[in-house]
Amino acid sequence: MSENGLASRRGKVLTTDTMNPSVKKVEYAVRGPIVQRAVEIENELKKGAKKPFSEVIKANIGDAHAMGQQPVTFFRQVLALCSYPELLNSPLFPEDVKSRAGRILQSCGGGSIGETLQFCVRQDVAQYIKQRDGGIPCNPDNIYLSTGASDAIVTILKLLVCGEGRTCTGAMIPIPQYPLYSAALAELGAVQINYYLDEENCWSLNIGELRRALVDARKHCNPRVLCIINPGNPTGQVQSRKCIEDVIRFAAEENLFLMADEVYQDNVYADGCHFHSFKKVLFEMGPQYSNTVELASFHSTSKCYMGECGFRGGYMEVVNMDSDVKAQLTKLVSVRLCPPVPGQALMDLVVNPPKPGEPSHATFMKERTATLRSLAERAKLTEQILNTVPGIHCNPVQGAMYSFPQITIPERAVQEAKEKGQAPDMFYCMKLLDETGICVVPGSGFGQKEGTYHFRMTILPPTDKLKILLQKVKEFHMGFTEQFS
Amino acid sequence: MSENGLASRRGKVLTTDTMNPSVKKVEYAVRGPIVQRAVEIENELKKGAKKPFSEVIKANIGDAHAMGQQPVTFFRQVLALCSYPELLNSPLFPEDVKSRAGRILQSCGGGSIGETLQFCVRQDVAQYIKQRDGGIPCNPDNIYLSTGASDAIVTILKLLVCGEGRTCTGAMIPIPQYPLYSAALAELGAVQINYYLDEENCWSLNIGELRRALVDARKHCNPRVLCIINPGNPTGQVQSRKCIEDVIRFAAEENLFLMADEVYQDNVYADGCHFHSFKKVLFEMGPQYSNTVELASFHSTSKCYMGECGFRGGYMEVVNMDSDVKAQLTKLVSVRLCPPVPGQALMDLVVNPPKPGEPSHATFMKERTATLRSLAERAKLTEQILNTVPGIHCNPVQGAMYSFPQITIPERAVQEAKEKGQAPDMFYCMKLLDETGICVVPGSGFGQKEGTYHFRMTILPPTDKLKILLQKVKEFHMGFTEQFS
Ligand SMILES: Cc1ncc(COP(=O)(O)O)c(C=O)c1O
Ligand SMILES: Cc1ncc(COP(=O)(O)O)c(C=O)c1O
């Protein structure tokens, strides 16, 4: 420190004491300590360490491809041609692949997948929504493309946040929740309002509980937005049409902006369950609702049968949004330039897949059906095997990609966890990982009723592996229970 | 409104009166009214409207491909193979393309470009930086991948923002600036501290001006971060090594976190100008600097010779960042899952292009050199032709992709603009667009000294088109001057 002037450098500019306090409040368990430990164990295994297992099985994140799901051929073929248009002349590809790639490239300035694709995709998305919703119109001007659904969800929350103290925006989110919501609210400095899903009734949404949460919240903040995840993550429930109607009526009465996270819209497995979009139900409830209730709904390329997490494609549709606010939204998203164009192109293919009669149609349908059928099978298997374990209760996995079983943790284990400064379900999951190599996420990362414990496990491992995994969980749980009884 | 309950719905939840006030403060001229008008005109032309021109030339945004630049063959070939790995068996592709694609796919869970590529790319980035900086070490743990540089820049600003009123974080940014900075600061509620680049000296950065701005700012906020754009956007200057040393010394003395936006690091054209990375200069100044000054530097796939704006690839390197803050940063970026994987793959190729002796090397070098040489030619041409116009003064375009000429606007035009409620340079640019079809961005969108007027024009149109464009600007400017004199 001999140079002149430097005497004034007083330690670091940026420390945890001087950083953005809202960022510090963000919690994100899905990639937390459990995942760090999993990576450590993998490295130990690579270095030849002896363990009671030979590999770590990651049932912690919803990345289908990483668990072996194959990409949809048509999608990847078109994307390859978009990347390298020379292939348009190759005999390797069917005609519909070529014409689709040509169409996408034509919509891009300079014929290269640059920034300007958006308009064509937004039109196709609007067309898809209209068809999905039985002909209810959809205006491309209401479609905003995004970098995965995450981006769009955070953007809408960002628009809604204002005020401080009792006037601070409150957002109602389900508990258990997908932790993007709590993280975004913490970062934005908004108030998180928990409404609890009804575990005894297959994680259904109960309007009485919504009202309880709202009334409580009105005492200390300004609740303005109601977030719904359907099908649910981590809970896997699929909402009935009746429930959606009730939610819309509630939002209308209570003056709440509705956010409908529908990224799992094709992931519905259970008999008697169907996906109903909030948009469709809203419009079918008549103009007194369809002309007033403000709704943003979200979709993504990351889930459903395509599972393309890496492309970060997504869109949202906004309904009844004030036109000046829409202009603000357009401005806000322009600052970040554009969502990734390969993701936009993929989104375009998802909303406009091969049609009957086109050369790629049969293969496309075969792949799509096989993936969804296998997911349904794994959903059933997971529920069934987990429910054979004393001390584990698993609701039906009606949709999405996860089970969220409740686990009984013996009092002595709860004590030991507390001594270690760990949540009891973190303690449980760490032990599961160390003893079996299975990586799942503690329920505390998603929120759960005080005194109950869960973990989230994806249904994504291939069936054979999943069976072994579930068997190991069973043995582990029985051993754990015995050890701490 | 006859249904019960609905009586309580009192207009929209989200209006410009009740939305996030910070979002309202965001300004973003690059895609503002001028671009909307350009789109309108294009639509009018499509419908057969008669205009004094037949097409709109978009010299407003730095999207090289949209202006006809060809993608780098090697990059796109590898990306095609990553999208559709069946092509690994095709004789169409050289061996190095296949092995590279194979390497990337292997680094991804499940062999599909899913979420998990990051580690391999971060290692390659670190290797690239080390080589670029003459052997100065770079730790992959200091590399964070991002969704374009935009994402990383906003993330670092977000970490730094705290306090209110006099303790509120202030960020020093150059004027003229790339408007991402002002937009992000407005959104985050931080204080924007302007330091003016020296137009009389080729837009160079003057330490006296930095000091003036800092001293002023200390009266009303807490300046904590100094942002540098080198090479500059919109100003095109390239900083000397001496200047960078001075800036580093200033940051050290004044306890400022340094942000070095180096997305144009390969875009250096002028004789005698060289790109010097802040990281390298910092380390060459010795341990009293290299062990203390906190630096984040940014790079992107969007610019340089590749110009791949659509892939949203980017990274940042952080130096001397507090390790607890790094943990917070890791957590924060995890919430959004991952940057787009095709962009990550592309970034990997950019930092690790074909090597001498590999089959794709010659073509790669030819393409790279041709693009950079042509950009250098267009930079020169732009400066030269603009400087032949009385009332336009254009500094040398030493680097980046833009010229930012100063224009003399006659007093009568200034008056007319004011009557219309427009900034005078917006009035000028609108007229230019309406009369010639040329779309450029008013200087007011980037900031400029009070009473001076500029526009930003990219140098991206192909040389032939650029010549015509510059000639038209010349004629327009002379006519405009005459009309309002
Ligand atoms: C309920 C829910 N919403 C949103 C997302 C974010 O998806 P994306 O990958 O499109 O950002 C996820 C991802 O897991 C999710 O489960
Ligand atoms: C100076 C500067 N920084 C950052 C960016 C953002 O680049 P990206 O496309 O990587 O987000 C740009 C883009 O124009 C730029 O000019």
Side-chain angles (χ1 to χ4, degrees), chain A residues 406-425:
Chain A
Q406 182 165 158
I407 47 178
T408 307
I409 300 190
E411 194 44 41
R412 268 188 44 222
V414 172
Q415 282 314 321
E416 191 164 324
K418 284 193 179 145
E419 278 156 30
K420 282 189 142 182
Q422 273 180 340
D425 47 14

Side-chain angles (χ1 to χ4, degrees), chain B residues 315-340:
Chain B
Y315 73 77
M316 63 177 155
E317 181 188 14
V318 297
V319 173
N320 290 320
M321 184 179 265
D322 178 81
S323 61
D324 291 337
V325 174
K326 279 176 65 180
Q328 293 283 336
L329 172 56
T330 302
K331 173 192 72 180
L332 185 64
V333 298
S334 305
V335 174
R336 294 291 189 94
L337 306 180
C338 66

Side-chain angles (χ1 to χ4, degrees), chain A residues 166-370:
Chain A
R166 283 207 50 173
T167 68
C168 182
T169 294
M172 306 186 70
I173 64 170
I175 297 293
Q177 54 131 1
Y178 175 60
L180 168 69
Y181 288 88
S182 53
L185 294 172
E187 197 188 311
L188 292 165
V191 178
Q192 172 180 329
I193 305 169
N194 297 336
Y195 65 89
Y196 288 83
L197 299 175
D198 187 353
E199 184 164 15
E200 276 77 64
N201 285 297
C202 273
W203 296 115
S204 65
L205 191 161
N206 179 308
I207 299 288
E209 166 60 11
L210 270 189
R211 183 150 287 130
R212 178 210 57 80
L214 184 70
V215 169
D216 273 7
R218 287 225 163 103
K219 294 174 194 154
H220 59 89
C221 72
N222 180 16
R224 301 179 69 203
V225 49
L226 170 54
C227 304
I228 307 285
I229 309 175
N230 178 48
N233 175 7
T235 38
Q237 86 286 11
V238 176
Q239 291 179 345
S240 69
R241 209 199 128 90
K242 161 85 173 53
C243 173
I244 295 173
E245 278 183 22
D246 289 345
V247 168
I248 291 172
R249 222 171 273 121
F250 179 81
E253 286 168 15
E254 301 294 351
N255 234 39
L256 297 168
F257 190 107
L258 264 178
M259 291 174 62
D261 183 335
E262 300 177 331
V263 301
Y264 297 99
Q265 55 192 265
D266 293 329
N267 296 108
V268 176
Y269 318 119
D271 285 344
C273 286
H274 298 282
F275 171 73
H276 304 278
S277 80
F278 267 74
K279 164 83 178 297
K280 178 164 193 264
V281 177
L282 177 65
F283 275 68
E284 288 175 354
M285 287 169 71
Q288 69 272 50
Y289 294 97
S290 67
N291 291 338
T292 61
V293 176
E294 293 151 84
L295 168 70
S297 60
F298 307 92
H299 196 16
S300 162
T301 55
S302 300
K303 309 295 170 184
C304 300
Y305 63 92
M306 48 282 182
E308 295 277 16
C309 300
F311 280 80
R312 315 307 296 129
Y315 74 77
M316 63 178 155
E317 180 187 16
V318 296
V319 173
N320 289 320
M321 184 180 265
D322 178 82
S323 62
D324 291 336
V325 175
K326 278 177 67 180
Q328 293 283 337
L329 173 56
T330 302
K331 174 192 75 178
L332 185 65
V333 298
S334 304
V335 175
R336 295 290 189 95
L337 308 178
C338 66
V341 176
Q344 290 184 38
L346 178 58
M347 193 81 244
D348 191 59
L349 301 169
V350 167
V351 296
N352 188 10
K355 292 186 191 35
E358 290 181 340
S360 301
H361 183 255
T363 307
F364 170 76
M365 287 309 290
K366 209 178 85 198
E367 292 173 345
R368 182 184 195 281
T369 312

Side-chain angles (χ1 to χ4, degrees), chain A residues 376-412:
Chain A
E377 180 186 296
R378 285 176 273 165
K380 196 85 205 148
L381 194 69
T382 303
E383 177 202 346
Q384 279 170 346
I385 301 189
L386 287 176
N387 280 330
T388 64
V389 189
I392 296 189
H393 174 75
C394 183
N395 270 325
V397 181
Q398 298 172 330
M401 298 179 164
Y402 318 91
S403 64
F404 196 68
Q406 182 165 158
I407 47 178
T408 307
I409 300 190
E411 194 44 41
R412 268 188 44 222

Side-chain angles (χ1 to χ4, degrees), chain A residues 8 13 65 158 187 253 294, chain B residues 8 13 158 187 253 294:
Chain A
S8 61
V13 176
H65 290 202
K158 190 181 283 172
E187 197 188 311
E253 286 168 15
E294 293 151 84
Chain B
S8 61
V13 177
K158 188 180 285 172
E187 196 188 311
E253 286 167 14
E294 292 151 84

